[in-house]
Amino acid sequence: MKNEYEQQQRSDYLYEQHVTHLTLQDKRPATIDGYSRALRRITHHLDKSPDTLTTDDLKRYFAQLIKTHSWSTVRIDRNGLRKLWVSYLLHPYLLELYFVRLQLFFRKHITTK
């Protein structure tokens, strides 16, 4: 139980930091709302703190999201989560590479539809 509590505390802290950083970067309220919603959505969907997610977690999440949400939502989630990981969590190179590959996937499917 303590581990779940600590994980929730960590997720809450990262969420607050994410919103604070976006505000300090003078992002528009709609951008802050979309990016923070992406963080809440993936945290709830995978029941994990964002700083513990792996590329496999991201694959599962985005595979499900593509089936249930619009491309606009998928892009907003991708951008918001990328901003969190690349800017604040400084995750390993593999996560950045995964986001680049995901972006290429979006371009292919958006231009062909």
Side-chain angles (χ1 to χ4, degrees), residues 1 15 21 27 33-34 36 42-43 46 51 54 61-62 70-71 85 92-94 100 104 107 111-112:
M1 192 74 158
Y15 175 83
H21 285 279
K27 298 292 183 189
D33 180 56
S36 59
I42 196 168
T43 300
L46 296 174
D51 59 341
T54 65
Y61 173 72
F62 280 105
S70 69
W71 279 107
W85 279 300
Y93 172 75
L94 290 177
V100 169
L104 293 173
R107 285 184 186 160
T111 57
T112 59

Side-chain angles (χ1 to χ4, degrees), residues 69-87:
H69 288 75
S70 69
W71 279 107
S72 176
T73 298
V74 173
R75 282 193 306 269
I76 290 169
D77 278 27
R78 179 191 58 94
N79 292 340
L81 296 172
R82 182 177 181 275
K83 185 72 168 168
L84 172 73
W85 279 300
V86 173
S87 299

Side-chain angles (χ1 to χ4, degrees), residues 34-91:
Y35 285 9
S36 59
R37 187 178 306 123
L39 184 56
R40 288 191 308 268
R41 191 179 359 256
I42 196 168
T43 300
H44 177 71
H45 180 77
L46 296 174
D47 197 29
K48 294 174 86 173
S49 178
D51 59 341
T52 63
L53 298 177
T54 65
T55 53
D56 286 338
D57 292 331
L58 292 172
K59 282 182 200 175
R60 283 196 325 271
Y61 173 72
F62 280 105
Q64 181 62 35
L65 194 68
I66 287 168
K67 293 176 187 175
T68 59
H69 288 75
S70 69
W71 279 107
S72 176
T73 298
V74 173
R75 282 193 306 269
I76 290 169
D77 278 27
R78 179 191 58 94
N79 292 340
L81 296 172
R82 182 177 181 275
K83 185 72 168 168
L84 172 73
W85 279 300
V86 173
S87 299
Y88 317 132
L89 298 179
L90 302 176
H91 264 264

